[in-house]
Every structure is written in structure tokens, then in C-alpha cells.
Amino acid sequence: MPPSRQNNAAEQIAWGLDAEGNAVHIGQARRGRACGCVCIDCGRTLIAYKGSVNVWHFQHDAQSNCRGETALHLAGKQALVDAARRSELFAIPKSSGCTELTDDLGQDVAIEWDIPAENRPVVEAAIEITLAPDVRADVVADLDGRRTNVAIEIRVTHEKDALDCQAYQRIDQDALEVDLSGLAWNASPEDVRTAVLSQAPRHWLHNTAAASAARDSRVRAAAERDTRNVTYRDLLERYAEGVRGDWLFSQRVCWPTLDESDSEFGGIQEPATASPRLIRIDDAWKREDGRWVGSGYVGTARRGNEVCVNIIVTHARAFREPIGLKGPTLCILIPHEYPTELDPADLRLIWANVSHWVDALVRRGRTRRNTMKLPGTLGRAYDFRRYSRSAQMYLIARDWHDDDMPPLDRRWAPAWGTDYEIWTSLIWQLEIVDGLYRDSSAVCDITRVHANATYDELLPLPRDEVSSQQRLEDLEDWFEQLAELGYVIDTFSNTYEAGFYPPADFRPYHATPLSSASAY
């Protein structure tokens, strides 16, 4: 066995040619000049150094600049020739790919193809074969005995580039490359054989079967895309015809609802809303850029209040905001799958270009909140807020608690901007008595109560974060006390249901919050 110590010589040559032109590894050669080998690159005589100190190697018999760099390359080709003599198996790499196209709705159409890896016997192999004037293969091998030859390139230093691949494509020749660049310069013949036949990385330069599969996948993908597009167009035409006719008016349609989106009054329990619906459609329609565009009239519950609007019928997946259209636009978005029959439940209706409508709803919402009637005879929310705290408590005690006089133990609640008795009475009447007790299936969510802008209309609530957090904690503590008394039932996550009805003499401010009682 050769020593493992690194060779100190300038040359690292492990292969030479014998007198018959066969590649000979240093481990197979006789020592010294008796090896009878010449350099594969320059043809000069080689000396086999097989001592006990340095790694075994060949060296030119005289000083030379030749490094014998093609030795491993020749050894790889020789391994294929030797494999043919023994009908050994050669590993063919797999080849796969995917054709991806996009249909009119932007959906991917992907058709995959795959040619699996396999092992084929090397029946014949010949070195340095000219296949075309500009194409010379390292090895041409018959790998299945049916004369379907494969060109095999052995890579040691330089891999084949795109031009090489194009040359093989031009002559439609199966060709692959085996990468031996990872082998040591003095790899044994067995290591080279194993690497060439199965272990070394390999890939196709050109594969006629793969090219055919890729062409077929492109044809199939294009057919699938075209089929989808035809379906999309037919579906659009069918729905557009239905919208232009009487079909939409004869169906139960869920018309889109607009509601106020004024951030100043976020969390409003009952925002101002409007649900305009189509009442008639004009005859003039045109098809443009994958959609139908027309016009019609919408109305609300008020008779005679009709507004002309644009109408768009298009696919939901192809929808984009109608920037080019001026005025309110009703967008009717249809599904991408073909139904057995037109169903309005499959439609998605949205409004665009209606910012001025929403602004009007915001103004209406503010007016509604100012004129909101409170339960009993407390009057309007706007008037209630203008009263003094004493007057507010007097009204609550008289109308809600049936007391001749308001309570005398008044406690100031800084986070609420009023007395403890007032805010607890408001929450009790509006959320529990008028909410939970009147509807046994209702629930009360504390976080919703905390965010309800109604109480901002009734009370001068401080707007700082500390006060807001304190109000939430007050609500949590107060509802816990009510739950301990059994008047509400804690369900989960600050949500409560109705408990048993309290006695006639119960007052909500009798349930004192635990965490913040000292603050009052």
C-alpha cells in the first residue's frame, strides 16, 4: 500500500499510458523506469516512484513543465471502456421540470413532467468519437443494447457550458456529464470506476426524452390555460347577461351595506348605515378589458331618492379598483368556477368611489348620537350631558330607580368625569336591564362596553390612556361584584350573561369595585 504522507515533489501524476495505450494507475505500475509508461499529456517517459516515504506518483524522467493534468480525465474514460467489457451498470440521472403559465385571472397553470433515474448496462463504449464537425464526445456508449447511444463527458477541471449543450441539442444527441472534480489526484482505479459508474454527480446536457416531455407539458399547459380562459369568458358573458336582464331583480340579493367609518367615534355600537339597492338598469353596456361596464339606478327606502351609478361585472379574482370611472360604482364580482345555475349567493357586491356617501353617513351618525333618546323620560343624550351631575342623578333616581331623592353618598369617579353612582346606573340600565334582562340569549362584552362611544356622548369622559385603562378596570371589578351577587353570569373572557333579576331595592352602585374603591 502507498504511504499516506504527502508527496513533496512538484509533480502529482497518478496515471500514465502503457505501451499498448491503456491508462495505468501508479498502484498498478512497476517501480522506476521498468513501468514502461509515458505521460498522457506530453508522451515523454515517466518514472514510477513507489517508495516508503512520499505518496506514490509518476514523474517525468527529465525536467518538464507538463503536469499530466488530463490523466484523471483519461482514467474516467477508460473506466467506461472497461465497464463495457464486463457489462456493468451505469447510473442515468433523472430529468424533471414544470411548465408554468398564467390564465386570464392570474392563476397558475402548472404541468409537471418527470423521467426517473435508472441504471443501464454499458454494452459498448468508444473514446473520442466525432459526432459532428464541431462536436467530439469523450465517450459514446450504448447503454441498453438497442444502439441508442449516449454521449458521456468526463469533467475534471472545466464543465461543459451552454454552447456545448446547444451543440448536442442541434444534433439531437443524448448527452450527459459526469463530474470527477471531487476525486483526489491519486484516486485508485476502483475509486474512479465507482465514481464514473454511479457515485459521482452527473447531469444531462441534452435529453431527447426530456425535451419531448417538456414540449408535451407546454402543449398541455397551454390547452389547460385556454380551456380555463374560455370558461372564464363564458361565465362572464352569462352573468353579465343576467345582470343586464331581469334575473338579478328576481333573486334575493344581499346588497352591500355602507356604514360610517369616522375614527373619532370608533367602536360605536350602532353606526349609521345605508343599503342602496339597484332598482333599474340602463341598456347601454360595453365590454372592456375582461369586464362589462354599464350604468343603472339605486334607491333606498325613501321613494324618489334615486341615484345614477356605474355598474361593473367582472371576476372576483381579476377585480381592481375602478379608478377610471367617476361617481359611485357598484362592483358585481362573479366566481371563477362554473356553477350549474346562476346563484346570487355566489356573487360578491361591493361599492367603490362612494367616499362622499360615507361622509354623509358620518354626519348622520353624529346627528343620531346627539338626538339619541335615552330609556324612560331622561330625554335626549345631548340634553342629558348638559345637565349638572346633581340633575343627572336626580333624573336617574326618579325615572330608573323610582326614588324620590338621589343618593346622598355621592362619590367622584375621575376616570369617568362624573360620580360613581351615575356611571354605574347608566351601564346597569343600558347594558344589563335593557340588554341582558330583556333578551335572555344576549351577552354583554366588557371590552365592547368600554369602547362604546355612546358613553362619550353621555359623560365627559377623559381621553387620556390612564383614564381609559382605569375605566376598563372599573368595569371588570364592578361586573365581578355583580357576578358574585348573582345578577350576571361570567361566561368567559370578560363576557357575561343575565343572572337572576335583583330585588326592587337594589341599586347598582351598592356593588362597589374592589380595585378602585379607594380612588373615589
Side-chain angles (χ1 to χ4, degrees):
M1 295 293 292
S4 59
R5 185 174 175 181
Q6 180 63 40
N7 177 22
N8 293 323
E11 298 176 300
Q12 291 183 333
I13 304 175
W15 294 83
L17 287 178
D18 62 13
E20 298 178 356
N22 296 318
V24 177
H25 187 262
I26 184 63
Q28 301 168 325
R30 297 174 62 186
R31 183 178 301 173
R33 297 179 184 274
C35 68
C37 294
V38 297
C39 177
I40 296 174
D41 283 344
C42 66
R44 297 179 59 181
T45 301
L46 296 176
I47 301 174
Y49 287 89
K50 304 178 66 172
S52 60
V53 177
N54 293 323
V55 176
W56 292 354
H57 65 284
F58 287 112
Q59 187 171 327
H60 291 86
D61 65 346
Q63 186 175 0
S64 172
N65 293 326
C66 179
R67 304 300 299 273
E69 292 177 344
T70 59
L72 189 57
H73 185 261
L74 176 61
K77 295 187 288 186
Q78 185 66 47
L80 285 168
V81 174
D82 295 340
R85 299 191 186 110
R86 297 185 290 267
S87 296
E88 294 183 294
L89 296 178
F90 179 82
I92 299 293
K94 70 173 294 184
S95 186
S96 61
C98 179
T99 297
E100 295 184 356
L101 301 177
T102 304
D103 62 28
D104 289 347
L105 298 188
Q107 305 302 302
D108 291 335
V109 179
I111 302 295
E112 297 181 351
W113 56 270
D114 179 81
I115 299 177
E118 59 180 320
N119 294 314
R120 297 181 186 176
V122 184
V123 178
E124 295 183 13
I127 296 176
E128 297 297 329
I129 301 299
T130 299
L131 300 173
D134 60 341
V135 181
R136 185 176 178 84
D138 287 342
V139 179
V140 174
D142 180 358
L143 298 180
D144 57 9
R146 290 178 292 184
R147 311 301 296 179
T148 53
N149 295 332
V150 177
I152 302 174
E153 300 288 350
I154 305 297
R155 174 190 172 187
V156 177
T157 55
H158 302 292
E159 65 177 326
K160 295 297 181 181
D161 57 19
L163 292 177
D164 297 308
C165 296
Q166 292 173 7
Y168 280 118
Q169 292 172 9
R170 189 181 68 252
I171 63 176
D172 200 21
Q173 170 64 56
D174 285 348
L176 57 85
E177 183 176 67
V178 178
D179 184 4
L180 300 186
S181 61
L183 285 181
W185 66 273
N186 60 342
S188 68
E190 180 59 26
D191 290 340
V192 174
R193 185 191 71 84
T194 302
V196 169
L197 295 182
S198 60
Q199 298 300 317
R202 61 204 60 213
H203 65 275
W204 286 103
L205 302 175
H206 176 63
N207 186 343
T208 55
S212 175
R215 287 192 298 270
D216 180 64
S217 71
R218 288 193 292 270
V219 171
R220 293 167 55 198
E224 173 66 19
R225 177 200 58 195
D226 294 343
T227 299
R228 290 189 190 181
N229 291 340
V230 169
T231 301
Y232 298 154
R233 287 191 290 270
D234 290 347
L235 190 59
L236 178 61
E237 297 298 323
R238 188 176 177 188
Y239 268 108
E241 183 180 356
V243 170
R244 296 195 304 267
D246 297 331
W247 168 77
L248 197 61
F249 299 107
S250 64
Q251 306 294 319
R252 297 184 61 183
V253 179
C254 183
W255 299 101
T257 298
L258 300 172
D259 57 47
E260 56 178 306
S261 58
D262 189 359
S263 60
E264 181 181 352
F265 297 98
I268 298 172
Q269 181 177 359
E270 295 180 359
T273 62
S275 299
R277 58 173 295 164
L278 276 176
I279 55 179
R280 70 176 186 273
I281 296 177
D282 291 338
D283 294 333
W285 283 74
K286 61 180 179 179
R287 197 181 194 283
E288 59 176 39
D289 195 20
R291 65 185 185 183
W292 277 94
V293 180
S295 61
Y297 291 84
V298 298
T300 58
R302 296 172 57 188
R303 292 185 177 180
N305 187 20
E306 298 180 4
V307 178
C308 182
V309 298
N310 303 308
I311 305 174
I312 291 177
V313 182
T314 186
H315 288 275
R317 290 187 174 180
F319 175 69
R320 61 186 182 277
E321 288 291 333
I323 300 176
L325 296 178
K326 296 181 180 180
T329 303
L330 178 62
C331 306
I332 303 176
L333 310 184
I334 68 173
H336 68 283
E337 295 181 353
Y338 210 102
T340 55
E341 60 181 17
L342 299 186
D343 187 350
D346 295 331
L347 300 177
R348 178 185 169 204
L349 279 63
I350 61 176
W351 281 105
N353 302 334
V354 289
S355 58
H356 62 293
W357 285 4
V358 176
D359 292 340
L361 286 175
V362 170
R363 293 191 297 270
R364 185 189 305 173
R366 290 175 178 174
T367 301
R368 179 188 56 78
R369 283 187 291 275
N370 285 334
T371 59
M372 179 182 66
K373 292 285 290 183
L374 296 176
T377 59
L378 293 188
R380 298 180 305 169
Y382 176 74
D383 293 331
F384 181 85
R385 184 169 183 175
R386 294 177 58 192
Y387 295 150
S388 66
R389 294 197 306 277
S390 297
Q392 288 175 348
M393 195 64 232
Y394 179 81
L395 289 173
I396 290 174
R398 185 193 64 187
D399 291 358
W400 288 358
H401 302 323
D402 196 22
D403 293 340
D404 292 332
M405 295 293 294
L408 300 178
D409 53 338
R410 304 283 291 278
R411 291 164 293 175
W412 174 245
W416 295 85
T418 188
D419 296 325
Y420 173 68
E421 288 77 10
I422 292 178
W423 79 257
T424 53
S425 295
L426 289 175
I427 302 296
W428 172 263
Q429 185 68 33
L430 298 178
E431 302 292 343
I432 299 177
V433 176
D434 293 341
L436 298 183
Y437 290 162
R438 288 188 178 180
D439 183 1
S440 59
S441 64
V443 295
C444 181
D445 187 343
I446 290 179
T447 57
R448 180 189 58 79
V449 175
H450 175 260
N452 193 339
T454 297
Y455 300 107
D456 194 33
E457 294 294 316
L458 296 174
L459 302 172
L461 299 179
R463 295 183 180 275
D464 60 281
E465 294 185 3
V466 174
S467 298
S468 177
Q469 181 62 32
Q470 184 62 59
R471 288 194 293 273
L472 181 59
E473 294 177 2
D474 290 346
L475 287 170
E476 292 174 347
D477 294 339
W478 183 61
F479 269 85
E480 287 180 3
Q481 289 293 95
L482 294 177
E484 291 181 6
L485 296 173
Y487 303 143
V488 296
I489 299 174
D490 186 358
T491 55
F492 64 92
S493 184
N494 281 343
T495 303
Y496 291 84
E497 297 177 349
F500 63 83
Y501 203 86
D505 61 348
F506 174 75
R507 300 295 178 263
Y509 37 82
H510 291 168
T512 304
L514 299 177
S515 63
S516 57
S518 60
Y520 300 108

